[in-house]
């Protein structure tokens, strides 16, 4: 029976004799980023690392010589931890599962992996890894999937509502002379105006997710950026932030649908403002616009010192309906990306968590107009 536990590390003498664990491996196991617990064939705990006993919120020496049953009745172990261990025991040892997930009393998610059977010479090895971040991403992805479906559904409903509206409009126009005869022409006017309003709302909703083909006009980059600053400045100032235009070398001209490119820049500035408000410290928010020439292209930069974003967010940024905001639709950047692609350009992004984000829009310069 292996009840004599090496108290400082809770490693069985047998493990040492078998040469399974020398001091290097022991160190690795001790400092590894997951909890490790090893029970021998008699069900006695022979190894527990710092992360595992930290998770159990119990002193290591009190675990010396414990069997599974001792653990489940351990005086220093909280009731909630005992319940968690019992569930782990039931799901793995009893039901034979090799993986089990649970949420602890602090809302953290854990994945338990159990190794036993032939390869383990009768021992049971449990590893505990915190997977809260992964769970958060999974939940966001699930939410976004639902939002995407909802978005597509609303787009098709909006589209279908237009047909009966057109029919109603036609019939009201036919009835108009009769209403006039009754002295109720006002009613027809109101109905027509309301139908037109409903049509406008639907048109706006549908075109927000599908930009029309560009109407070209030539504009200088500095004029474009100045106009955009003028349009957004009051919103920026109201939020206690600054917006600045960095000096642009020479006059650069582009042939674009000015309305659409302005929409892209305003989308980016709004995102920047939202990222600044989401920053936890009280750094003054700053949005910088700039542009420079690179060969036959102009690069327009929109940068902020907002909360930044992680790699996962960056990889989904331009997907339709992808949003991390409670009230976001996730259309801003997907529409912007399509507008820029329709102009023969592209958008790239770089970001650092808690430092900020930079969007770079590359667009072809108009030949003959560049000073
Ligand atoms: N400047 C930025 N800083 C940090 N994250 C950003 C920035 N710009 C965009 N993002 C991230 O990209 C996501 C998608 O942006 P997008 O503009 O497409 O949608 P949204 O802002 O969430 O919703 P809306 O359709 O209302 O614009 C945002 O939810 C946010 O997580
Ligand atoms: Mg947005």
């Amino acid at each position: 029976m292996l009840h004599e536990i090496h108290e400082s590390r809770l490693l069985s003498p047998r493990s040492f004799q078998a040469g399974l664990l020398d001091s290097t491996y022991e160190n690795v196991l001790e400092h590894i980023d997951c909890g490790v617990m090893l029970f021998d064939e008699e069900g006695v705990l022979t190894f527990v690392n710092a992360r595992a006993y930290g998770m159990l919120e119990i002193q290591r020496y009190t675990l010396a010589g414990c069997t599974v049953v001792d653990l489940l009745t351990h005086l220093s172990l909280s009731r909630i931890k005992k319940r968690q261990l019992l569930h782990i025991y039931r799901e793995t040892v009893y039901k034979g599962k090799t993986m089990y997930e649970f949420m602890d009393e602090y809302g953290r998610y854990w994945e338990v992996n159990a190794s036993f059977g032939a390869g383990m010479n009768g021992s049971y090895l449990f590893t505990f890894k915190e997977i809260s971040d992964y769970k958060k991403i999974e939940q966001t992805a699930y939410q976004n999937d639902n939002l995407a479906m909802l978005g597509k559904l609303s787009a098709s409903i909006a589209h279908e509502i237009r047909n009966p509206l057109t029919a109603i409009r036609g019939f009201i126009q036919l009835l108009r002379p009769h209403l006039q005869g009754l002295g109720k022409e006002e009613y027809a006017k109101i109905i027509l105006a309301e139908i037109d309003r409903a049509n406008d709302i639907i048109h706006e909703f549908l075109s927000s997710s599908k930009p029309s083909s560009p109407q070209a006009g030539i504009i200088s980059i500095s004029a474009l950026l100045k106009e955009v600053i003028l349009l957004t400045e009051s919103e920026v100032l109201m939020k206690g932030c600054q917006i600045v235009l960095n000096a642009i070398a020479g006059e650069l001209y582009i042939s674009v649908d000015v309305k659409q490119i302005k929409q892209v820049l305003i989308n980016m500035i709004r995102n920047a403002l939202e990222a600044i408000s989401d920053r936890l410290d009280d750094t003054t928010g700053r949005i910088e616009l700039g542009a420079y020439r690179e060969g036959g292209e102009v690069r327009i930069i929109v940068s902020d010192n907002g909360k930044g974003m992680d790699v996962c967010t960056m990889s989904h940024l331009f997907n339709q309906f992808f949003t991390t905001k409670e009230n976001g639709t996730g259309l801003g950047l997907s529409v912007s990306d399509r507008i820029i692609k329709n102009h023969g350009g592209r958008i790239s992004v770089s970001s650092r968590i808690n430092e900020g984000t930079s969007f770079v829009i590359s667009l072809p310069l108009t030949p003959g107009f560049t000073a």
Side-chain angles (χ1 to χ4, degrees):
M1 288 267 274
L2 265 175
H3 286 270
E4 239 180 64
I5 302 295
H6 194 293
E7 280 214 359
S8 64
R9 306 178 223 50
L10 274 172
L11 279 167
S12 77
R14 185 185 290 179
S15 303
F16 279 115
Q17 278 160 20
L20 287 174
L21 297 161
D22 62 16
S23 62
T24 316
Y25 293 147
E26 201 185 310
N27 250 333
V28 171
L29 282 175
E30 182 62 19
H31 299 290
I32 202 163
D33 181 33
C34 64
V36 179
M37 290 175 90
L38 181 70
F39 293 87
D40 69 9
E41 67 271 30
E42 315 268 340
V44 179
L45 186 62
T46 54
F47 178 80
V48 58
N49 73 350
R51 188 124 168 108
Y53 69 79
M55 198 192 87
L56 293 176
E57 293 170 352
I58 198 170
Q59 303 268 20
R60 179 182 248 166
Y61 73 90
T62 66
L63 292 169
C66 273
T67 62
V68 174
V69 179
D70 295 336
L71 253 183
L72 294 175
T73 53
H74 201 293
L75 286 174
S76 318
L77 204 61
S78 70
R79 263 179 68 183
I80 194 148
K81 294 281 179 210
K82 280 178 192 156
R83 210 172 319 134
Q84 284 162 8
L85 285 178
L86 186 66
H87 280 298
I88 295 170
Y89 178 78
R90 223 188 268 151
E91 294 299 314
T92 56
V93 180
Y94 193 63
K95 292 191 187 166
K97 288 185 189 164
T98 52
M99 209 258 278
Y100 172 66
E101 283 179 13
F102 72 96
M103 189 174 79
D104 70 11
E105 61 275 39
Y106 306 110
R108 295 175 302 189
Y109 286 92
W110 295 89
E111 181 183 294
V112 184
N113 279 288
S115 308
F116 44 84
M120 292 296 298
N121 296 326
S123 301
Y124 284 79
L125 173 69
F126 295 90
T127 56
F128 302 78
K129 186 149 185 61
E130 193 185 338
I131 52 163
S132 305
D133 287 346
Y134 166 76
K135 279 279 162 195
K136 226 183 270 169
I137 294 168
E138 196 180 69
Q139 277 161 5
T140 314
Y142 178 72
Q143 215 174 19
N144 285 336
D145 259 9
N146 284 345
L147 268 176
M149 218 159 65
L150 198 70
K152 280 178 195 155
L153 197 71
S154 358
S156 64
I157 292 173
H159 193 263
E160 288 314 306
I161 288 174
R162 272 208 302 206
N163 295 337
L165 279 182
T166 313
I168 295 170
R169 198 177 196 289
F171 282 109
I172 291 293
Q173 269 170 332
L174 284 178
L175 282 174
R176 204 171 180 167
H178 301 283
L179 288 170
Q180 222 167 357
L182 292 169
K184 302 285 182 199
E185 208 213 341
E186 199 52 28
Y187 288 2
K189 264 195 200 156
I190 294 172
I191 296 171
L192 287 173
E194 288 301 295
I195 289 174
D196 289 345
R197 199 159 69 90
N199 261 328
D200 282 350
I201 294 170
I202 291 170
H203 177 77
E204 231 169 80
F205 175 75
L206 291 174
S207 58
S208 73
S209 54
K210 203 171 101 200
S212 49
S213 52
Q215 308 281 314
I218 291 170
I219 189 167
S220 92
I221 293 290
S222 59
L224 174 74
L225 297 184
K226 277 179 194 156
E227 273 182 48
V228 168
I229 289 183
L230 214 67
L231 286 170
T232 52
E233 208 165 23
S234 56
E235 203 178 331
V236 172
L237 293 176
M238 250 165 53
K239 297 207 166 148
C241 305
Q242 306 165 346
I243 185 160
V244 292
L245 175 61
N246 292 328
I248 301 170
E251 273 298 353
L252 307 168
Y253 288 88
I254 45 172
S255 169
V256 291
D257 186 321
V258 179
K259 230 168 104 184
Q260 288 190 0
I261 301 297
K262 273 188 196 163
Q263 187 190 337
V264 171
L265 292 165
I266 292 169
N267 272 342
M268 288 183 179
I269 293 169
R270 293 240 161 89
N271 280 343
L273 273 178
E274 282 157 359
I276 288 168
S277 334
D278 284 349
R279 212 181 145 142
L280 297 174
D281 52 32
D282 51 6
T283 315
T284 307
R286 189 177 165 86
I287 301 169
E288 288 185 32
L289 300 189
Y292 63 96
R293 185 183 176 165
E294 184 77 52
E297 284 185 339
V298 61
R299 305 259 157 96
I300 304 173
I301 308 144
V302 181
S303 57
D304 64 68
N305 60 351
K307 66 167 184 170
M309 56 188 125
D310 55 25
V311 186
C312 177
T313 304
M314 278 220 272
S315 63
H316 292 99
L317 217 52
F318 299 108
N319 293 354
Q320 214 173 11
F321 304 116
F322 171 79
T323 182
T324 56
K325 299 167 194 169
E326 214 168 303
N327 298 315
T329 59
L331 283 173
L333 284 178
S334 74
V335 172
S336 304
D337 188 47
R338 250 187 298 161
I339 289 177
I340 298 300
K341 279 187 180 145
N342 283 348
H343 282 84
R346 66 194 177 283
I347 304 176
S348 58
V349 59
S350 57
S351 186
R352 285 179 88 96
I353 294 273
N354 241 7
E355 280 184 26
T357 302
S358 274
F359 282 92
V360 180
I361 305 167
S362 307
L363 282 167
L365 277 167
T366 309
F369 270 90
T370 315

